[in-house]
mmCIF file of all heavy atoms in Angstrom:
data_model
loop_
_atom_site.group_PDB
_atom_site.id
_atom_site.type_symbol
_atom_site.label_atom_id
_atom_site.label_comp_id
_atom_site.label_asym_id
_atom_site.label_seq_id
_atom_site.Cartn_x
_atom_site.Cartn_y
_atom_site.Cartn_z
ATOM 1 N N THR A 1 6.954 -5.453 -41.092
ATOM 2 C CA THR A 1 7.893 -6.494 -40.724
ATOM 3 C C THR A 1 8.295 -7.263 -41.939
ATOM 4 O O THR A 1 7.655 -7.251 -42.991
ATOM 5 C CB THR A 1 7.263 -7.456 -39.718
ATOM 6 O OG1 THR A 1 6.161 -8.138 -40.351
ATOM 7 C CG2 THR A 1 6.753 -6.695 -38.498
ATOM 8 N N PHE A 2 9.447 -7.972 -41.805
ATOM 9 C CA PHE A 2 9.980 -8.726 -42.943
ATOM 10 C C PHE A 2 9.027 -9.816 -43.382
ATOM 11 O O PHE A 2 8.774 -10.018 -44.569
ATOM 12 C CB PHE A 2 11.340 -9.334 -42.547
ATOM 13 C CG PHE A 2 11.964 -10.171 -43.588
ATOM 14 C CD1 PHE A 2 12.534 -9.617 -44.740
ATOM 15 C CD2 PHE A 2 11.959 -11.590 -43.521
ATOM 16 C CE1 PHE A 2 13.106 -10.348 -45.724
ATOM 17 C CE2 PHE A 2 12.539 -12.357 -44.500
ATOM 18 C CZ PHE A 2 13.091 -11.737 -45.588
ATOM 19 N N LEU A 3 8.429 -10.538 -42.394
ATOM 20 C CA LEU A 3 7.497 -11.600 -42.712
ATOM 21 C C LEU A 3 6.239 -11.043 -43.380
ATOM 22 O O LEU A 3 5.701 -11.632 -44.320
ATOM 23 C CB LEU A 3 7.132 -12.372 -41.435
ATOM 24 C CG LEU A 3 8.258 -13.293 -40.886
ATOM 25 C CD1 LEU A 3 7.781 -13.957 -39.605
ATOM 26 C CD2 LEU A 3 8.623 -14.326 -41.937
ATOM 27 N N ASN A 4 5.731 -9.897 -42.889
ATOM 28 C CA ASN A 4 4.557 -9.316 -43.487
ATOM 29 C C ASN A 4 4.862 -8.836 -44.906
ATOM 30 O O ASN A 4 4.000 -8.963 -45.798
ATOM 31 C CB ASN A 4 4.085 -8.059 -42.669
ATOM 32 C CG ASN A 4 3.399 -8.562 -41.344
ATOM 33 O OD1 ASN A 4 2.967 -9.681 -41.264
ATOM 34 N ND2 ASN A 4 3.321 -7.665 -40.407
ATOM 35 N N GLY A 5 6.080 -8.361 -45.122
ATOM 36 C CA GLY A 5 6.470 -7.954 -46.454
ATOM 37 C C GLY A 5 6.524 -9.117 -47.412
ATOM 38 O O GLY A 5 6.026 -9.043 -48.558
ATOM 39 N N LEU A 6 7.080 -10.267 -46.969
ATOM 40 C CA LEU A 6 7.163 -11.471 -47.809
ATOM 41 C C LEU A 6 5.723 -11.985 -48.085
ATOM 42 O O LEU A 6 5.398 -12.383 -49.187
ATOM 43 C CB LEU A 6 7.960 -12.537 -47.116
ATOM 44 C CG LEU A 6 9.464 -12.421 -47.153
ATOM 45 C CD1 LEU A 6 10.126 -13.571 -46.403
ATOM 46 C CD2 LEU A 6 9.979 -12.329 -48.592
ATOM 47 N N GLN A 7 4.875 -11.924 -47.063
ATOM 48 C CA GLN A 7 3.510 -12.413 -47.249
ATOM 49 C C GLN A 7 2.783 -11.573 -48.276
ATOM 50 O O GLN A 7 2.072 -12.099 -49.137
ATOM 51 C CB GLN A 7 2.787 -12.395 -45.914
ATOM 52 C CG GLN A 7 1.335 -12.898 -46.008
ATOM 53 C CD GLN A 7 0.632 -12.851 -44.649
ATOM 54 O OE1 GLN A 7 1.216 -12.465 -43.644
ATOM 55 N NE2 GLN A 7 -0.612 -13.295 -44.601
ATOM 56 N N GLU A 8 2.907 -10.251 -48.133
ATOM 57 C CA GLU A 8 2.223 -9.334 -49.100
ATOM 58 C C GLU A 8 2.810 -9.547 -50.517
ATOM 59 O O GLU A 8 2.041 -9.555 -51.503
ATOM 60 C CB GLU A 8 2.418 -7.905 -48.676
ATOM 61 C CG GLU A 8 1.591 -6.926 -49.525
ATOM 62 C CD GLU A 8 1.620 -5.506 -48.934
ATOM 63 O OE1 GLU A 8 1.977 -5.362 -47.753
ATOM 64 O OE2 GLU A 8 1.310 -4.595 -49.707
ATOM 65 N N LEU A 9 4.129 -9.728 -50.615
ATOM 66 C CA LEU A 9 4.723 -9.961 -51.904
ATOM 67 C C LEU A 9 4.197 -11.228 -52.542
ATOM 68 O O LEU A 9 3.833 -11.263 -53.734
ATOM 69 C CB LEU A 9 6.254 -10.105 -51.755
ATOM 70 C CG LEU A 9 7.112 -10.171 -52.996
ATOM 71 C CD1 LEU A 9 7.045 -8.893 -53.810
ATOM 72 C CD2 LEU A 9 8.540 -10.514 -52.646
ATOM 73 N N PHE A 10 4.066 -12.283 -51.781
ATOM 74 C CA PHE A 10 3.521 -13.566 -52.276
ATOM 75 C C PHE A 10 2.075 -13.414 -52.705
ATOM 76 O O PHE A 10 1.696 -13.864 -53.782
ATOM 77 C CB PHE A 10 3.655 -14.611 -51.150
ATOM 78 C CG PHE A 10 3.087 -15.954 -51.520
ATOM 79 C CD1 PHE A 10 3.841 -16.828 -52.307
ATOM 80 C CD2 PHE A 10 1.851 -16.339 -51.083
ATOM 81 C CE1 PHE A 10 3.329 -18.049 -52.668
ATOM 82 C CE2 PHE A 10 1.316 -17.586 -51.407
ATOM 83 C CZ PHE A 10 2.058 -18.467 -52.193
ATOM 84 N N VAL A 11 1.269 -12.732 -51.923
ATOM 85 C CA VAL A 11 -0.149 -12.578 -52.200
ATOM 86 C C VAL A 11 -0.379 -11.805 -53.480
ATOM 87 O O VAL A 11 -1.187 -12.188 -54.342
ATOM 88 C CB VAL A 11 -0.899 -11.909 -51.001
ATOM 89 C CG1 VAL A 11 -2.328 -11.517 -51.434
ATOM 90 C CG2 VAL A 11 -0.943 -12.843 -49.816
ATOM 91 N N VAL A 12 0.318 -10.670 -53.673
ATOM 92 C CA VAL A 12 0.085 -9.863 -54.854
ATOM 93 C C VAL A 12 0.551 -10.554 -56.136
ATOM 94 O O VAL A 12 -0.073 -10.407 -57.167
ATOM 95 C CB VAL A 12 0.711 -8.452 -54.708
ATOM 96 C CG1 VAL A 12 0.120 -7.678 -53.579
ATOM 97 C CG2 VAL A 12 2.239 -8.553 -54.497
ATOM 98 N N ILE A 13 1.650 -11.320 -55.985
ATOM 99 C CA ILE A 13 2.145 -12.033 -57.219
ATOM 100 C C ILE A 13 1.181 -13.164 -57.554
ATOM 101 O O ILE A 13 0.810 -13.375 -58.717
ATOM 102 C CB ILE A 13 3.600 -12.531 -56.982
ATOM 103 C CG1 ILE A 13 4.512 -11.324 -56.915
ATOM 104 C CG2 ILE A 13 3.984 -13.435 -58.120
ATOM 105 C CD1 ILE A 13 5.956 -11.678 -56.601
ATOM 106 N N ILE A 14 0.810 -14.000 -56.567
ATOM 107 C CA ILE A 14 -0.081 -15.123 -56.814
ATOM 108 C C ILE A 14 -1.455 -14.594 -57.246
ATOM 109 O O ILE A 14 -2.061 -15.174 -58.209
ATOM 110 C CB ILE A 14 -0.243 -16.014 -55.546
ATOM 111 C CG1 ILE A 14 1.121 -16.667 -55.215
ATOM 112 C CG2 ILE A 14 -1.306 -17.073 -55.770
ATOM 113 C CD1 ILE A 14 1.680 -17.539 -56.308
ATOM 114 N N GLY A 15 -1.921 -13.553 -56.629
ATOM 115 C CA GLY A 15 -3.206 -12.970 -57.037
ATOM 116 C C GLY A 15 -3.187 -12.486 -58.476
ATOM 117 O O GLY A 15 -4.120 -12.750 -59.239
ATOM 118 N N GLY A 16 -2.123 -11.796 -58.864
ATOM 119 C CA GLY A 16 -1.978 -11.360 -60.233
ATOM 120 C C GLY A 16 -1.943 -12.505 -61.195
ATOM 121 O O GLY A 16 -2.509 -12.450 -62.299
ATOM 122 N N THR A 17 -1.201 -13.588 -60.818
ATOM 123 C CA THR A 17 -1.171 -14.760 -61.680
ATOM 124 C C THR A 17 -2.499 -15.385 -61.912
ATOM 125 O O THR A 17 -2.860 -15.748 -63.014
ATOM 126 C CB THR A 17 -0.169 -15.794 -61.061
ATOM 127 O OG1 THR A 17 1.107 -15.195 -60.869
ATOM 128 C CG2 THR A 17 -0.053 -17.011 -61.941
ATOM 129 N N LEU A 18 -3.306 -15.537 -60.841
ATOM 130 C CA LEU A 18 -4.628 -16.130 -60.899
ATOM 131 C C LEU A 18 -5.559 -15.329 -61.837
ATOM 132 O O LEU A 18 -6.302 -15.876 -62.672
ATOM 133 C CB LEU A 18 -5.221 -16.343 -59.544
ATOM 134 C CG LEU A 18 -4.518 -17.352 -58.659
ATOM 135 C CD1 LEU A 18 -5.156 -17.364 -57.249
ATOM 136 C CD2 LEU A 18 -4.585 -18.730 -59.281
ATOM 137 N N ILE A 19 -5.497 -14.018 -61.675
ATOM 138 C CA ILE A 19 -6.354 -13.121 -62.506
ATOM 139 C C ILE A 19 -5.902 -13.239 -63.990
ATOM 140 O O ILE A 19 -6.737 -13.322 -64.902
ATOM 141 C CB ILE A 19 -6.253 -11.662 -62.013
ATOM 142 C CG1 ILE A 19 -7.004 -11.545 -60.665
ATOM 143 C CG2 ILE A 19 -6.916 -10.712 -63.046
ATOM 144 C CD1 ILE A 19 -6.871 -10.230 -60.017
ATOM 145 N N GLY A 20 -4.618 -13.227 -64.220
ATOM 146 C CA GLY A 20 -4.120 -13.383 -65.603
ATOM 147 C C GLY A 20 -4.553 -14.710 -66.235
ATOM 148 O O GLY A 20 -4.954 -14.746 -67.396
ATOM 149 N N LEU A 21 -4.448 -15.767 -65.449
ATOM 150 C CA LEU A 21 -4.841 -17.081 -65.937
ATOM 151 C C LEU A 21 -6.328 -17.115 -66.245
ATOM 152 O O LEU A 21 -6.773 -17.653 -67.292
ATOM 153 C CB LEU A 21 -4.521 -18.183 -64.911
ATOM 154 C CG LEU A 21 -3.067 -18.565 -64.793
ATOM 155 C CD1 LEU A 21 -2.829 -19.539 -63.632
ATOM 156 C CD2 LEU A 21 -2.522 -19.217 -66.088
ATOM 157 N N SER A 22 -7.099 -16.542 -65.327
ATOM 158 C CA SER A 22 -8.576 -16.558 -65.541
ATOM 159 C C SER A 22 -9.002 -15.797 -66.788
ATOM 160 O O SER A 22 -9.764 -16.341 -67.653
ATOM 161 C CB SER A 22 -9.304 -15.930 -64.307
ATOM 162 O OG SER A 22 -8.943 -16.611 -63.145
ATOM 163 N N LEU A 23 -8.504 -14.585 -66.965
ATOM 164 C CA LEU A 23 -8.868 -13.776 -68.111
ATOM 165 C C LEU A 23 -8.254 -14.360 -69.398
ATOM 166 O O LEU A 23 -8.887 -14.324 -70.464
ATOM 167 C CB LEU A 23 -8.417 -12.342 -67.942
ATOM 168 C CG LEU A 23 -9.200 -11.550 -66.904
ATOM 169 C CD1 LEU A 23 -8.654 -10.101 -66.780
ATOM 170 C CD2 LEU A 23 -10.665 -11.479 -67.221
ATOM 171 N N GLY A 24 -7.055 -14.924 -69.295
ATOM 172 C CA GLY A 24 -6.437 -15.513 -70.454
ATOM 173 C C GLY A 24 -7.240 -16.693 -70.983
ATOM 174 O O GLY A 24 -7.548 -16.789 -72.190
ATOM 175 N N TYR A 25 -7.611 -17.614 -70.088
ATOM 176 C CA TYR A 25 -8.362 -18.816 -70.553
ATOM 177 C C TYR A 25 -9.836 -18.412 -70.955
ATOM 178 O O TYR A 25 -10.421 -19.078 -71.811
ATOM 179 C CB TYR A 25 -8.369 -19.853 -69.480
ATOM 180 C CG TYR A 25 -7.109 -20.688 -69.486
ATOM 181 C CD1 TYR A 25 -6.073 -20.448 -68.563
ATOM 182 C CD2 TYR A 25 -6.858 -21.626 -70.472
ATOM 183 C CE1 TYR A 25 -4.876 -21.179 -68.603
ATOM 184 C CE2 TYR A 25 -5.668 -22.360 -70.532
ATOM 185 C CZ TYR A 25 -4.697 -22.118 -69.567
ATOM 186 O OH TYR A 25 -3.518 -22.847 -69.632
ATOM 187 N N LEU A 26 -10.361 -17.349 -70.323
ATOM 188 C CA LEU A 26 -11.672 -16.940 -70.773
ATOM 189 C C LEU A 26 -11.595 -16.403 -72.189
ATOM 190 O O LEU A 26 -12.493 -16.697 -73.003
ATOM 191 C CB LEU A 26 -12.178 -15.806 -69.833
ATOM 192 C CG LEU A 26 -13.479 -15.135 -70.234
ATOM 193 C CD1 LEU A 26 -14.660 -16.108 -70.254
ATOM 194 C CD2 LEU A 26 -13.799 -13.964 -69.272
ATOM 195 N N SER A 27 -10.550 -15.694 -72.497
ATOM 196 C CA SER A 27 -10.385 -15.177 -73.880
ATOM 197 C C SER A 27 -10.195 -16.351 -74.887
ATOM 198 O O SER A 27 -10.633 -16.287 -76.010
ATOM 199 C CB SER A 27 -9.174 -14.235 -73.978
ATOM 200 O OG SER A 27 -7.986 -14.922 -73.803
ATOM 201 N N VAL A 28 -9.521 -17.427 -74.418
ATOM 202 C CA VAL A 28 -9.355 -18.609 -75.310
ATOM 203 C C VAL A 28 -10.735 -19.149 -75.715
ATOM 204 O O VAL A 28 -10.979 -19.497 -76.890
ATOM 205 C CB VAL A 28 -8.489 -19.656 -74.599
ATOM 206 C CG1 VAL A 28 -8.496 -20.973 -75.422
ATOM 207 C CG2 VAL A 28 -7.042 -19.185 -74.418
ATOM 208 N N VAL A 29 -11.617 -19.241 -74.698
ATOM 209 C CA VAL A 29 -12.979 -19.740 -74.999
ATOM 210 C C VAL A 29 -13.691 -18.839 -75.992
ATOM 211 O O VAL A 29 -14.382 -19.287 -76.911
ATOM 212 C CB VAL A 29 -13.790 -19.874 -73.683
ATOM 213 C CG1 VAL A 29 -15.258 -20.236 -73.978
ATOM 214 C CG2 VAL A 29 -13.165 -20.883 -72.758
ATOM 215 N N LEU A 30 -13.536 -17.508 -75.788
ATOM 216 C CA LEU A 30 -14.230 -16.560 -76.669
ATOM 217 C C LEU A 30 -13.586 -16.565 -78.079
ATOM 218 O O LEU A 30 -14.325 -16.355 -79.045
ATOM 219 C CB LEU A 30 -14.150 -15.151 -76.076
ATOM 220 C CG LEU A 30 -14.929 -14.995 -74.732
ATOM 221 C CD1 LEU A 30 -14.668 -13.596 -74.160
ATOM 222 C CD2 LEU A 30 -16.416 -15.263 -74.952
ATOM 223 N N PHE A 31 -12.294 -16.814 -78.169
ATOM 224 C CA PHE A 31 -11.649 -16.907 -79.479
ATOM 225 C C PHE A 31 -12.326 -18.012 -80.328
ATOM 226 O O PHE A 31 -12.479 -17.898 -81.529
ATOM 227 C CB PHE A 31 -10.167 -17.208 -79.354
ATOM 228 C CG PHE A 31 -9.315 -15.953 -79.164
ATOM 229 C CD1 PHE A 31 -8.444 -15.899 -78.130
ATOM 230 C CD2 PHE A 31 -9.442 -14.875 -80.011
ATOM 231 C CE1 PHE A 31 -7.618 -14.769 -77.953
ATOM 232 C CE2 PHE A 31 -8.660 -13.748 -79.806
ATOM 233 C CZ PHE A 31 -7.784 -13.680 -78.791
ATOM 234 N N ARG A 32 -12.671 -19.126 -79.700
ATOM 235 C CA ARG A 32 -13.252 -20.273 -80.374
ATOM 236 C C ARG A 32 -14.647 -19.901 -80.939
ATOM 237 O O ARG A 32 -15.081 -20.536 -81.917
ATOM 238 C CB ARG A 32 -13.402 -21.466 -79.456
ATOM 239 C CG ARG A 32 -12.022 -22.032 -79.052
ATOM 240 C CD ARG A 32 -12.182 -23.076 -77.965
ATOM 241 N NE ARG A 32 -10.879 -23.605 -77.537
ATOM 242 C CZ ARG A 32 -10.695 -24.231 -76.385
ATOM 243 N NH1 ARG A 32 -11.705 -24.400 -75.522
ATOM 244 N NH2 ARG A 32 -9.503 -24.677 -76.091
ATOM 245 N N GLN A 33 -15.334 -18.916 -80.343
ATOM 246 C CA GLN A 33 -16.649 -18.560 -80.790
ATOM 247 C C GLN A 33 -16.626 -17.435 -81.876
ATOM 248 O O GLN A 33 -17.634 -17.143 -82.469
ATOM 249 C CB GLN A 33 -17.481 -18.059 -79.600
ATOM 250 C CG GLN A 33 -17.451 -18.900 -78.369
ATOM 251 C CD GLN A 33 -17.916 -20.339 -78.636
ATOM 252 O OE1 GLN A 33 -18.897 -20.536 -79.359
ATOM 253 N NE2 GLN A 33 -17.223 -21.324 -78.065
ATOM 254 N N SER A 34 -15.458 -16.830 -82.063
ATOM 255 C CA SER A 34 -15.344 -15.673 -82.971
ATOM 256 C C SER A 34 -14.582 -16.016 -84.218
ATOM 257 O O SER A 34 -13.578 -16.732 -84.183
ATOM 258 C CB SER A 34 -14.671 -14.495 -82.232
ATOM 259 O OG SER A 34 -14.431 -13.441 -83.112
ATOM 260 N N GLU A 35 -15.030 -15.469 -85.349
ATOM 261 C CA GLU A 35 -14.312 -15.599 -86.587
ATOM 262 C C GLU A 35 -14.003 -14.263 -87.216
ATOM 263 O O GLU A 35 -13.614 -14.188 -88.388
ATOM 264 C CB GLU A 35 -15.117 -16.454 -87.592
ATOM 265 C CG GLU A 35 -15.385 -17.882 -87.122
ATOM 266 C CD GLU A 35 -16.179 -18.711 -88.113
ATOM 267 O OE1 GLU A 35 -16.547 -18.131 -89.127
ATOM 268 O OE2 GLU A 35 -16.376 -19.916 -87.870
ATOM 269 N N ASP A 36 -14.179 -13.217 -86.439
ATOM 270 C CA ASP A 36 -13.956 -11.835 -86.967
ATOM 271 C C ASP A 36 -12.656 -11.298 -86.321
ATOM 272 O O ASP A 36 -12.587 -11.100 -85.093
ATOM 273 C CB ASP A 36 -15.161 -10.967 -86.547
ATOM 274 C CG ASP A 36 -14.950 -9.540 -87.020
ATOM 275 O OD1 ASP A 36 -14.066 -9.278 -87.884
ATOM 276 O OD2 ASP A 36 -15.645 -8.643 -86.476
ATOM 277 N N PRO A 37 -11.635 -11.046 -87.114
ATOM 278 C CA PRO A 37 -10.377 -10.555 -86.549
ATOM 279 C C PRO A 37 -10.489 -9.208 -85.824
ATOM 280 O O PRO A 37 -9.809 -8.948 -84.868
ATOM 281 C CB PRO A 37 -9.444 -10.420 -87.770
ATOM 282 C CG PRO A 37 -10.346 -10.424 -88.955
ATOM 283 C CD PRO A 37 -11.549 -11.212 -88.588
ATOM 284 N N LEU A 38 -11.398 -8.316 -86.273
ATOM 285 C CA LEU A 38 -11.560 -7.008 -85.642
ATOM 286 C C LEU A 38 -12.182 -7.214 -84.216
ATOM 287 O O LEU A 38 -11.768 -6.521 -83.261
ATOM 288 C CB LEU A 38 -12.468 -6.135 -86.462
ATOM 289 C CG LEU A 38 -11.946 -5.766 -87.847
ATOM 290 C CD1 LEU A 38 -12.894 -4.852 -88.597
ATOM 291 C CD2 LEU A 38 -10.543 -5.129 -87.757
ATOM 292 N N SER A 39 -13.110 -8.167 -84.093
ATOM 293 C CA SER A 39 -13.668 -8.477 -82.772
ATOM 294 C C SER A 39 -12.579 -9.046 -81.868
ATOM 295 O O SER A 39 -12.555 -8.788 -80.668
ATOM 296 C CB SER A 39 -14.852 -9.428 -82.883
ATOM 297 O OG SER A 39 -15.873 -8.849 -83.625
ATOM 298 N N ASP A 40 -11.714 -9.871 -82.441
ATOM 299 C CA ASP A 40 -10.616 -10.465 -81.680
ATOM 300 C C ASP A 40 -9.641 -9.412 -81.189
ATOM 301 O O ASP A 40 -9.099 -9.522 -80.074
ATOM 302 C CB ASP A 40 -9.891 -11.530 -82.534
ATOM 303 C CG ASP A 40 -10.749 -12.765 -82.788
ATOM 304 O OD1 ASP A 40 -11.683 -12.979 -82.033
ATOM 305 O OD2 ASP A 40 -10.451 -13.469 -83.769
ATOM 306 N N ILE A 41 -9.455 -8.376 -81.983
ATOM 307 C CA ILE A 41 -8.581 -7.270 -81.564
ATOM 308 C C ILE A 41 -9.174 -6.606 -80.342
ATOM 309 O O ILE A 41 -8.486 -6.322 -79.314
ATOM 310 C CB ILE A 41 -8.363 -6.265 -82.692
ATOM 311 C CG1 ILE A 41 -7.423 -6.830 -83.770
ATOM 312 C CG2 ILE A 41 -7.789 -4.959 -82.179
ATOM 313 C CD1 ILE A 41 -7.290 -5.944 -84.991
ATOM 314 N N LEU A 42 -10.474 -6.320 -80.413
ATOM 315 C CA LEU A 42 -11.146 -5.675 -79.276
ATOM 316 C C LEU A 42 -11.067 -6.585 -78.029
ATOM 317 O O LEU A 42 -10.854 -6.071 -76.900
ATOM 318 C CB LEU A 42 -12.633 -5.407 -79.600
ATOM 319 C CG LEU A 42 -12.869 -4.358 -80.697
ATOM 320 C CD1 LEU A 42 -14.376 -4.200 -80.937
ATOM 321 C CD2 LEU A 42 -12.281 -3.037 -80.327
ATOM 322 N N LEU A 43 -11.189 -7.879 -78.213
ATOM 323 C CA LEU A 43 -11.088 -8.806 -77.124
ATOM 324 C C LEU A 43 -9.721 -8.760 -76.448
ATOM 325 O O LEU A 43 -9.604 -8.694 -75.208
ATOM 326 C CB LEU A 43 -11.423 -10.218 -77.568
ATOM 327 C CG LEU A 43 -11.244 -11.353 -76.553
ATOM 328 C CD1 LEU A 43 -12.133 -11.125 -75.337
ATOM 329 C CD2 LEU A 43 -11.496 -12.728 -77.183
#
């Protein structure tokens, strides 16, 4: 249905945004602990 399609579209976009924010800010914390550019590349 149209409403189910909109709901699924909303869920997958918001879900992807939350995962991206979580991993992005986690990497920011790890950047502060690292001083090795090669390790940062792997991260």
Side-chain angles (χ1 to χ4, degrees):
T1 65
F2 178 73
L3 288 178
N4 286 340
L6 283 180
Q7 182 180 359
E8 186 172 344
L9 186 67
F10 179 78
V11 168
V12 296
I13 292 176
I14 296 300
T17 301
L18 292 176
I19 290 174
L21 286 172
S22 301
L23 290 179
Y25 279 103
L26 175 62
S27 70
V28 171
V29 174
L30 295 175
F31 275 130
R32 292 172 182 160
Q33 312 301 319
S34 172
E35 296 181 358
D36 178 19
L38 298 181
S39 299
D40 290 340
I41 287 175
L42 294 179
L43 175 59

